[in-house]
Amino acid sequence: MEEVFTHFFRPRGVVVVGASGDPAKLGYALTRNLINSGYEGGIHLVNPKGGTLLGLPLYRTIQEIPDPVDLAVILVPAPAVPESLTQCGKRGIPAAIIATGGFRETGAEGAALEKECLAVANQYHMRLIGPNCIGLIDTHLPLDTTFLQPPPPTPGEVAFVSHSGAVCAAIIDWIRGQGFGLSYLVSLGNQVDVNETDVLPAVAADKHTKVVTLYMESVSNGRRFVRTAAETSKNTPLVALKVGRFESGRKAAASHTGALAGAEVAFEAAFRRAGVLRATTTEEMFQWARALAWCPVPKGPKVAVLTNAGGPGVTAADAIESFGLQLAQLSAKTEAGLKTLLPPAASLHDPVDMLASATPEQYAGCLKILLEDDGVDNVLVILPPPPPSTAGAVVKAMLPQIQNSDKPVVFALMGERMIQEAMELLRAAKVPEYRFPEASASALAALYRRSEILKRLQEPEIVPVNLETKKFHEDFETIHSGEWLPADAAFDLLQAYGIPGLKLALAATDQEAGKLAGELGFPLVLKVASADISHKSDVGGVLLNIGSVTEAIDGFNIVVDNARKANPTARIDGVHLQRMLPNGQDVITGVIQDAQFGPLVMFGSGGVEVEGLKDVAFALAPLTASDGEYLLEGTWAGRKLRGFRNLPPADRHAVLDTLFRLAQLAAEFPELAEVEINPLRALADGKGVFAVDVRIRKG
Amino acid sequence: MEEVFTHFFRPRGVVVVGASGDPAKLGYALTRNLINSGYEGGIHLVNPKGGTLLGLPLYRTIQEIPDPVDLAVILVPAPAVPESLTQCGKRGIPAAIIATGGFRETGAEGAALEKECLAVANQYHMRLIGPNCIGLIDTHLPLDTTFLQPPPPTPGEVAFVSHSGAVCAAIIDWIRGQGFGLSYLVSLGNQVDVNETDVLPAVAADKHTKVVTLYMESVSNGRRFVRTAAETSKNTPLVALKVGRFESGRKAAASHTGALAGAEVAFEAAFRRAGVLRATTTEEMFQWARALAWCPVPKGPKVAVLTNAGGPGVTAADAIESFGLQLAQLSAKTEAGLKTLLPPAASLHDPVDMLASATPEQYAGCLKILLEDDGVDNVLVILPPPPPSTAGAVVKAMLPQIQNSDKPVVFALMGERMIQEAMELLRAAKVPEYRFPEASASALAALYRRSEILKRLQEPEIVPVNLETKKFHEDFETIHSGEWLPADAAFDLLQAYGIPGLKLALAATDQEAGKLAGELGFPLVLKVASADISHKSDVGGVLLNIGSVTEAIDGFNIVVDNARKANPTARIDGVHLQRMLPNGQDVITGVIQDAQFGPLVMFGSGGVEVEGLKDVAFALAPLTASDGEYLLEGTWAGRKLRGFRNLPPADRHAVLDTLFRLAQLAAEFPELAEVEINPLRALADGKGVFAVDVRIRKG
């Protein structure tokens, strides 16, 4: 942990600036919570009136506080905050939480006040959390700097970092009924200094924290967040709820790529690269977090469902498939084992239906057999009320099997009153239970995605070429900001990165035609270059299927001669050469600069489809191997490169390679606002790709 | 209500066949529940041993029971059930619930026993619910024929009809904690006789039932379900969870249409036509049901969010947009009114953020103003703990406004302990509350969808043409089952329904060419019909752009002469005429027969895209106006008919008309297994459509 966060998270002493004896005031509540939290360091209270509060002296000034003190929690009225901070600075306090509201969130005046706070902090090398925040809670240290109504959160393994204070208050109260607790809670408020990225490593490094949940309204520095989160999630699962999806809006842009990008796809790509599981609702984030905190990481997506009733078993099977998991194929040995335990009418395939008569022993025995099957990665146990034995007895019988296994087991404990004992037993044993099979399957899907993330986080970014790009850089500098590159320059830039383009080259002489032909490759088309001749093929001014340098040289003279004969007075500039492309699959790929996360590579269906169907995917540049696969497998444009029905396969490998090269280009030219190759034609397998058209705009 | 259901749902007397004095047996539990339910009719118990049970005599035989008795609940062992039914039949009992299990669900022997039960019932004109079911509960009559553990469900407004008994037991227990009750519960078991469609009208007709929820694993008769559900949902909202989505599987089929159809799309189309709201999870079904039972139907999709904290407001806004609702545009009057009540830093736009200091009076005052705004159709109130006043006081202040309004108001009551009083107040007042803004928005979306359903249910099915189809029917009879119609016959069938096709017509003489040309329309292409001439255009055997009958007659002679000159020995059959189609948008449309629901019309993107992108929608034939709109607006193929970017608009009206015609064809020819028009070319706006190719297979 950075030293500064030790001051926040492991302070040797805390001072409350604005402690109040009035129980109706937040300064009272904060003091009470801090004392009640059981915090073992020095607790110091400041109030200019003096006196005592809850058995502690009220110092009149910050100067008077005895050593050691690392953290100030400030709750004086907003206009008085800069002065309090100054006093803290002079006193040598390295960290402060400004709980007070009335800053940037209230308008320009508050924003100015906030800037003043930051200036003071910088002067004294202090770090600030807030203002306009709830502060932080460490349930294990313990430490509670909030003014929230008691009781405080139950100690647990889930850390919660939030941009919203109101959501903190709600979550503390809500999870009380959910059977799990918090390790940390950090409310960041206006983030004048410390932001979500800053606290992430510190919170994750805590030994009690098994998973970090994030309620995010924005990101402070996109790329830094990605780096930090990726590093953090190697050891600790991260789950985020990013809100403000629809607020961000999509700006009209000149290209398809631009129109399709926007804050949302960038966040999506960033979370993917950083290994952050993205939840779609608040509840889902915490239901996943519980499973991530308590369960081992599964080896795969195969789920065995163990039930005593058909209906919920079918519901579970549906949910398993809809979340991208699979029902297990049980081995013959497993089925034989189950058969010895169950009545003849029981179903021995997944979902395993033991029938309504299932006893605790049958539940436990079948679970043991399923957990021993190599084809089973996870077990989802369904327990609807009332089993012939109580749900509690069933759980008691199963717990030893669950605790001895390295495979995740989650429960759908269906009901309310009749499952209370079972629920409490499972919560005490840290086995995730949900009310319905759908939520249980969703939790298993989160665990499986975590296993995939752990693999992805090992991957390096792919840099397929290492070229002398300086030349293009110099050309590039002559282009004004916001302008499009001339077509030739754009194709040259692609070519420098090994992406072949369908250039139109002009040869002034037959020898030049031969040279250019050698560079462009074959077959070629030759076309007389003359503005004065409109129907070029009618006069023999076009030659198709030029297959060699010699043919190109001869061809030059033929088309020029034909043109001269037809129109002796025409001005002839020479001959245009262009590769003739065979049929293939046309896709679109490009690069866009996101204001938060920098360059993103885009891939999808070309033409009008790309916008209408949104068959498009984005990833951060440069790409990892799995980013590349994601761009292809996440789009129909990419999937059909393998061929589909009567559509022959195209050169998927070359397309993938192009994406890596384009990503490198994007990463090396941050000045590029947009690159769009539209279409990129993927030829038959093994024949490569061509950028048929390209547009590049400088930012 | 059908008279038979009066016997089930309003019996004048009930007999328990298999009442047991052993508290461990279900026959005891059932007797206890029936007595404890408070059922006011005669309760009679049958057990061959005689004696008394819970204060009532145990009759040795069914014959001995005194009048009146309408309903028997049978819980004797499976092999004894047919005999018990026979005795009931002889006794003149018109209705029986067979709670006993051990029938079809256990294999062939049980299935035979089940058939025997049905035969007995038919002999005596009895109706059966079950076997292998939990029976039924009417919380208001009251009546409880189940053997479930007490307590029974709380009386309420939500009816639950279920194919799964285990889910019934779970739901009864679970909703106890959810703050709403059940009116009816019907567990259908193996449905040897009475099925989900049979009970629907009876359950919905009950005056206490405000919404019917359905847990469905299958449907007994698809079209009958659609008719009954559509009729029922005109008065009572229906919400269904259909499970077994992935089990049903998709059979490989000869056409795209076939490959894309399957039980799921048919259920989707059936629910749409029947006005059934389809939930994706069990929990969602009941959370929607509560709102549908308690709230008025909204006038529109516009939601005002009233909050005292920004974070949950943003979360609500995201959810509102993602569920297809809209944030409200508040009127100037509303904003002015809010301004007088709120501090300067409050947000007066939707979401209305009153800031953390919001009092009960502010909550109530702002709610009143929002409800009075014509631009507000619904209000979502967010209440995170702890407000400066307790959540309970806030709710108390708001309730009068909510109860005086004809607009839905739902709450996101965030927390657990701190919101208990508020929760109880809202539940008592029948105002839906959920823990998080996302679920609240989901409930509002269900209400809005209900308002749209009510409009749709008024629509007639569209039958655009009324043709003499008999001729085609006769042709049709000569085709063997499973065979494809010859191309000409298929085009003729389309043409009879007013769908023009790109037929290839053969003229043997110039006069015939003129006549056919007049029928086909212009422009035309003429092509010499000769198997001996392969490169027809090289010999002048093709003429394009024939624009009149005269040109067609002259053209016939030109191409035949040219062909004769080029190849004097060639056999010439005449001249083929075909319409020349201008460019347009190609789509695919077709008909498939679903085993459960009969003919479905399919519409989507043509070519390989239709399968790869699944840009396709289905609706039951014949179509209503909104079905037609759904097929177009639910697909990119349909949406882009209006034009998109540089893609010019196509004749959307003609495409829509074609769908109605195709639907009529499908409805009138149930023998059609598959129809596929691929592609259907939509020409420029006003220019109509052409079936370029069509395949029709007889079933």
Side-chain angles (χ1 to χ4, degrees):
Chain A
M1 181 175 352
E2 277 184 76
E3 196 196 340
V4 57
F5 291 106
T6 314
H7 302 316
F8 282 110
F9 292 132
R10 297 277 183 278
R12 291 167 301 162
V14 178
V15 55
V16 179
V17 184
S20 169
D22 178 354
K25 292 210 167 164
L26 298 179
Y28 175 88
L30 197 158
T31 307
R32 175 201 60 207
N33 287 357
L34 182 57
I35 293 172
N36 288 349
S37 72
Y39 172 62
E40 293 178 352
I43 299 177
H44 313 294
L45 310 178
V46 173
N47 187 311
K49 294 178 192 156
T52 64
L53 175 58
L54 296 166
L56 295 175
L58 283 165
Y59 295 96
R60 285 176 204 277
T61 68
I62 295 168
Q63 299 312 115
E64 297 171 38
I65 301 162
D67 274 329
V69 57
D70 289 335
L71 176 63
V73 186
I74 297 176
L75 201 51
V76 298
V81 171
E83 176 54 24
S84 292
L85 279 179
T86 304
Q87 295 305 321
C88 289
K90 286 183 177 166
R91 177 66 185 74
I93 299 174
I97 296 169
I98 308 174
T100 312
F103 290 86
R104 189 175 52 201
E105 78 280 11
T106 62
E109 212 172 311
L113 204 58
E114 198 169 295
K115 272 193 184 166
E116 208 183 324
C117 293
L118 186 59
V120 173
N122 287 341
Q123 186 186 345
Y124 294 102
H125 305 290
M126 296 172 71
R127 297 301 300 268
L128 302 180
I129 288 182
N132 188 31
C133 74
I134 283 183
L136 61 87
I137 298 176
D138 177 339
T139 61
H140 296 280
L141 185 63
L143 173 67
D144 183 346
T145 76
T146 75
F147 48 75
L148 299 174
Q149 264 186 259
T154 318
E157 295 95 349
V158 177
F160 183 41
V161 175
S162 175
H163 284 148
S164 162
V167 173
C168 288
I171 290 304
I172 289 174
D173 195 33
W174 175 72
I175 65 166
R176 244 192 285 286
Q178 298 297 307
F180 63 98
L182 293 182
S183 54
Y184 268 102
L185 176 129
V186 186
S187 161
L188 294 163
N190 296 3
Q191 300 186 116
V192 66
D193 176 17
V194 170
N195 61 43
E196 77 293 321
T197 307
D198 295 321
V199 300
L200 212 45
V203 166
D206 169 63
K207 66 177 178 188
H208 297 101
T209 297
K210 297 272 185 288
V211 54
V212 180
T213 53
L214 291 153
Y215 177 93
M216 295 175 73
E217 293 176 355
S218 58
V219 71
S220 304
N221 175 322
R223 285 281 164 160
R224 185 170 158 250
F225 172 79
V226 171
R227 279 193 308 275
T228 306
E231 199 51 42
T232 305
S233 59
K234 282 181 183 167
N235 295 309
T236 309
L238 305 181
V239 192
L241 180 73
K242 160 68 177 63
V243 299
R245 272 180 283 174
F246 290 90
E247 277 191 327
S248 46
R250 288 173 184 190
K251 286 174 202 148
S255 70
H256 288 303
T257 312
L260 284 160
E264 267 318 292
V265 299
F267 266 100
E268 200 69 41
F271 286 147
R272 155 169 288 275
R273 174 66 64 82
V276 175
L277 287 159
R278 183 176 192 179
T280 54
T281 70
T282 317
E283 191 165 357
E284 188 175 66
M285 174 163 70
F286 286 97
Q287 300 300 19
W288 289 357
R290 165 162 42 176
L292 291 160
W294 288 353
C295 290
V297 174
K299 290 199 182 62
K302 296 184 290 296
V303 183
V305 177
L306 184 62
T307 181
N308 71 350
V314 176
T315 310
D318 275 4
I320 283 164
E321 298 220 33
S322 76
F323 291 128
L325 304 174
Q326 300 156 19
L327 286 179
Q329 285 284 343
L330 303 180
S331 72
K333 188 184 159 203
T334 294
E335 295 198 1
L338 294 172
K339 198 171 180 177
T340 64
L341 295 180
L342 297 175
S347 165
L348 307 179
H349 302 291
D350 196 8
V352 176
D353 183 355
M354 301 176 288
L355 305 186
S357 54
T359 62
E361 293 68 33
Q362 284 173 322
Y363 260 106
C366 292
L367 177 64
K368 182 167 188 289
I369 291 169
L370 291 174
L371 287 170
E372 284 167 357
D373 188 329
D374 286 341
V376 172
D377 301 315
N378 312 263
V379 179
L380 194 167
V381 181
I382 294 174
L383 207 49
S389 313
T390 65
V394 171
V395 166
K396 262 183 216 160
M398 298 177 100
L399 278 181
Q401 305 299 342
I402 298 168
Q403 284 162 334
N404 284 335
S405 176
D406 60 355
K407 297 177 181 178
V409 178
V410 303
F411 278 69
L413 209 54
M414 301 176 74
E416 171 80 13
R417 283 198 204 183
M418 295 183 191
I419 48 97
Q420 286 298 318
E421 187 197 358
M423 194 176 81
E424 281 161 26
L425 286 166
L426 288 171
R427 289 177 175 185
K430 300 189 179 174
V431 179
E433 37 69 43
Y434 307 91
R435 291 296 76 73
F436 291 102
E438 297 97 328
S440 312
S442 170
L444 288 178
L447 289 171
Y448 176 62
R449 285 172 59 204
R450 172 68 186 158
S451 76
E452 297 282 285
I453 283 170
L454 284 172
K455 286 178 210 155
R456 285 212 306 272
L457 289 171
Q458 306 308 319
E459 294 181 340
E461 286 169 350
I462 288 178
V463 178
V465 283
N466 192 359
L467 297 147
E468 183 52 67
T469 58
K470 197 149 185 317
K471 170 176 169 282
F472 308 100
H473 206 273
E474 278 166 4
D475 289 358
F476 200 70
E477 305 233 315
T478 66
I479 309 292
H480 294 291
S481 173
E483 277 184 4
W484 295 93
L485 267 67
D488 268 9
F491 276 119
D492 282 349
L493 191 51
L494 292 190
Q495 194 160 15
Y497 281 82
I499 302 171
L502 196 64
K503 282 179 72 168
L504 194 68
L506 177 65
T509 66
D510 57 359
Q511 290 309 312
E512 197 179 355
K515 182 169 163 285
L516 287 170
E519 286 170 22
L520 291 172
F522 304 94
L524 283 167
V525 58
L526 301 188
K527 212 178 282 182
V528 65
S530 169
D532 300 333
I533 300 173
S534 49
H535 296 286
K536 296 183 175 68
S537 37
D538 292 356
V539 303
V542 178
L543 282 179
L544 303 177
N545 284 313
I546 299 298
S548 67
V549 169
T550 314
E551 279 180 50
I553 294 169
D554 294 348
F556 179 96
N557 294 316
I558 291 167
V559 299
V560 169
D561 285 355
N562 286 345
R564 287 233 170 89
K565 275 181 212 151
N567 188 345
T569 63
R571 177 186 156 180
I572 292 172
D573 300 327
V575 170
H576 276 125
L577 296 86
Q578 192 176 36
R579 272 290 293 264
M580 285 178 69
L581 280 195
N583 288 335
Q585 294 188 32
D586 282 355
V587 296
I588 182 173
T589 181
V591 173
I592 190 84
Q593 292 288 339
D594 180 73
Q596 301 275 14
F597 293 101
L600 297 172
V601 174
M602 176 267 230
F603 176 81
S605 288
V608 69
E609 315 296 327
V610 70
E611 278 187 63
L613 283 167
K614 304 206 169 35
D615 178 46
V616 65
F618 290 84
L620 297 193
L623 303 173
T624 62
S626 68
D627 282 336
E629 285 297 323
Y630 162 74
L631 291 174
L632 296 194
E633 294 306 310
T635 56
W636 163 237
R639 289 192 297 275
K640 72 181 173 186
L641 294 173
R642 296 185 194 277
F644 185 82
R645 297 250 163 181
N646 58 355
L647 183 76
D651 198 334
R652 185 181 189 279
H653 179 79
V655 174
L656 198 56
D657 183 60
T658 302
L659 297 181
F660 295 128
R661 291 173 185 277
L662 192 61
Q664 188 191 354
L665 184 158
E668 292 181 0
F669 283 80
E671 318 88 306
L672 297 179
E674 282 178 72
V675 178
E676 182 170 281
I677 303 179
N678 184 16
L680 177 76
R681 179 162 302 171
L683 306 181
D685 199 10
K687 303 289 185 189
V689 296
F690 270 87
V692 177
D693 201 359
V694 60
R695 302 207 301 161
I696 299 182
R697 189 168 63 85
K698 201 167 166 179
Chain B
M1 182 178 347
E2 278 185 76
E3 197 196 340
V4 58
F5 291 106
T6 313
H7 303 317
F8 282 111
F9 292 132
R10 297 279 183 276
R12 290 166 302 163
V14 178
V15 54
V16 179
V17 184
S20 168
D22 178 354
K25 293 211 166 165
L26 299 180
Y28 176 87
L30 197 158
T31 307
R32 176 201 61 207
N33 287 358
L34 182 56
I35 293 171
N36 288 349
S37 72
Y39 172 62
E40 294 177 351
I43 297 177
H44 312 294
L45 310 178
V46 173
N47 187 310
K49 292 178 193 157
T52 65
L53 175 58
L54 297 165
L56 294 175
L58 284 166
Y59 296 95
R60 285 176 203 279
T61 68
I62 296 167
Q63 302 311 116
E64 297 170 40
I65 301 160
D67 273 329
V69 57
D70 289 335
L71 176 63
V73 187
I74 297 176
L75 201 51
V76 298
V81 172
E83 176 55 25
S84 292
L85 280 179
T86 304
Q87 295 305 319
C88 289
K90 287 182 178 166
R91 176 67 185 73
I93 300 174
I97 296 169
I98 307 175
T100 312
F103 290 87
R104 190 174 52 199
E105 77 278 12
T106 62
E109 210 172 313
L113 204 57
E114 198 169 295
K115 272 192 184 167
E116 206 183 327
C117 292
L118 186 59
V120 172
N122 287 341
Q123 187 186 344
Y124 294 102
H125 306 289
M126 296 171 72
R127 297 301 299 267
L128 302 181
I129 287 181
N132 188 32
C133 75
I134 283 183
L136 60 87
I137 298 177
D138 177 340
T139 60
H140 296 281
L141 185 64
L143 173 69
D144 183 345
T145 76
T146 74
F147 49 74
L148 299 175
Q149 265 186 260
T154 318
E157 294 94 349
V158 177
F160 183 40
V161 175
S162 175
H163 283 149
S164 162
V167 173
C168 286
I171 290 306
I172 290 174
D173 196 33
W174 175 73
I175 66 164
R176 244 191 286 285
Q178 297 298 305
F180 63 97
L182 293 181
S183 53
Y184 268 101
L185 176 130
V186 186
S187 160
L188 293 163
N190 295 3
Q191 300 186 114
V192 65
D193 176 18
V194 170
N195 60 43
E196 78 292 321
T197 306
D198 295 322
V199 300
L200 211 45
V203 166
D206 169 63
K207 67 178 177 187
H208 297 100
T209 296
K210 296 273 186 288
V211 55
V212 180
T213 53
L214 290 153
Y215 177 94
M216 294 175 74
E217 293 176 354
S218 59
V219 71
S220 303
N221 175 321
R223 286 281 166 162
R224 185 168 158 253
F225 172 80
V226 171
R227 279 194 306 276
T228 306
E231 201 49 42
T232 305
S233 60
K234 282 181 182 166
N235 296 307
T236 309
L238 305 181
V239 191
L241 180 73
K242 160 67 177 64
V243 299
R245 274 181 283 173
F246 290 90
E247 278 191 326
S248 45
R250 288 170 185 195
K251 286 173 202 150
S255 70
H256 288 304
T257 311
L260 283 160
E264 267 319 291
V265 298
F267 266 100
E268 200 70 39
F271 286 148
R272 156 168 287 274
R273 174 66 65 80
V276 175
L277 287 158
R278 183 174 191 179
T280 54
T281 69
T282 317
E283 191 165 358
E284 188 175 65
M285 174 162 71
F286 286 98
Q287 299 300 19
W288 288 358
R290 166 160 47 174
L292 291 161
W294 288 352
C295 290
V297 174
K299 289 200 184 64
K302 296 185 288 295
V303 183
V305 177
L306 183 62
T307 180
N308 71 351
V314 177
T315 309
D318 275 4
I320 282 164
E321 297 221 31
S322 76
F323 292 129
L325 304 174
Q326 300 156 19
L327 286 179
Q329 284 285 342
L330 303 181
S331 72
K333 187 185 159 201
T334 295
E335 295 198 0
L338 295 172
K339 198 171 180 179
T340 64
L341 296 180
L342 298 175
S347 166
L348 306 178
H349 301 292
D350 197 7
V352 175
D353 184 355
M354 302 175 289
L355 303 185
S357 54
T359 62
E361 293 68 33
Q362 284 173 323
Y363 260 105
C366 292
L367 177 64
K368 181 166 188 288
I369 291 168
L370 291 175
L371 287 171
E372 283 167 357
D373 188 329
D374 286 340
V376 172
D377 302 314
N378 312 263
V379 179
L380 195 167
V381 181
I382 295 174
L383 207 48
S389 312
T390 64
V394 171
V395 166
K396 261 182 216 160
M398 299 177 98
L399 278 180
Q401 305 300 343
I402 298 168
Q403 285 163 334
N404 284 334
S405 175
D406 60 356
K407 296 177 181 178
V409 178
V410 302
F411 277 69
L413 208 54
M414 300 175 75
E416 171 80 13
R417 282 200 206 183
M418 295 183 191
I419 49 96
Q420 285 297 318
E421 186 196 357
M423 194 175 81
E424 281 161 26
L425 286 166
L426 288 172
R427 288 178 175 184
K430 299 190 179 174
V431 178
E433 37 68 43
Y434 307 91
R435 292 295 76 74
F436 291 102
E438 297 96 330
S440 311
S442 168
L444 288 178
L447 289 172
Y448 176 62
R449 285 172 58 204
R450 171 69 186 156
S451 76
E452 296 281 285
I453 283 170
L454 285 172
K455 286 177 210 153
R456 285 213 306 271
L457 289 172
Q458 305 307 320
E459 292 181 341
E461 287 170 350
I462 287 178
V463 178
V465 283
N466 191 0
L467 296 149
E468 182 51 70
T469 58
K470 194 144 188 324
K471 170 175 170 282
F472 309 99
H473 205 272
E474 279 166 1
D475 289 358
F476 199 70
E477 304 232 315
T478 66
I479 309 291
H480 293 290
S481 173
E483 276 183 6
W484 295 93
L485 267 68
D488 267 8
F491 275 120
D492 282 349
L493 191 53
L494 291 190
Q495 194 160 14
Y497 280 82
I499 303 171
L502 197 62
K503 280 179 75 168
L504 194 69
L506 178 65
T509 66
D510 56 0
Q511 290 309 311
E512 198 181 354
K515 181 170 162 285
L516 287 169
E519 287 168 21
L520 291 173
F522 304 95
L524 284 167
V525 58
L526 302 186
K527 210 179 285 185
V528 66
S530 171
D532 300 335
I533 301 173
S534 49
H535 295 288
K536 296 182 174 69
S537 38
D538 291 355
V539 303
V542 177
L543 282 179
L544 303 176
N545 284 313
I546 297 300
S548 68
V549 170
T550 315
E551 278 181 49
I553 293 168
D554 294 349
F556 179 95
N557 294 315
I558 293 168
V559 299
V560 169
D561 286 355
N562 286 345
R564 286 238 168 84
K565 276 181 210 152
N567 188 343
T569 63
R571 176 185 156 182
I572 293 173
D573 300 326
V575 171
H576 276 125
L577 295 88
Q578 194 175 36
R579 273 288 293 264
M580 284 177 68
L581 280 195
N583 288 335
Q585 294 189 32
D586 283 355
V587 297
I588 183 172
T589 180
V591 173
I592 190 88
Q593 291 289 337
D594 180 73
Q596 300 275 16
F597 294 101
L600 297 172
V601 174
M602 176 268 230
F603 176 81
S605 288
V608 71
E609 314 296 326
V610 70
E611 277 186 64
L613 282 167
K614 304 207 168 29
D615 178 45
V616 66
F618 290 85
L620 298 193
L623 302 173
T624 63
S626 69
D627 282 337
E629 284 298 322
Y630 162 73
L631 291 174
L632 295 195
E633 293 306 309
T635 56
W636 163 237
R639 289 191 298 274
K640 73 181 171 186
L641 293 173
R642 297 185 194 278
F644 186 83
R645 297 248 164 181
N646 58 356
L647 184 75
D651 197 333
R652 185 180 189 277
H653 178 80
V655 174
L656 197 56
D657 183 59
T658 302
L659 297 181
F660 294 129
R661 292 171 186 276
L662 192 61
Q664 188 192 354
L665 185 158
E668 292 181 0
F669 284 79
E671 318 87 307
L672 296 179
E674 283 177 74
V675 178
E676 183 169 281
I677 303 179
N678 185 15
L680 176 77
R681 180 164 299 171
L683 305 182
D685 198 11
K687 302 290 186 189
V689 295
F690 271 88
V692 177
D693 201 1
V694 58
R695 302 207 301 161
I696 299 182
R697 188 168 62 85
K698 200 166 165 179

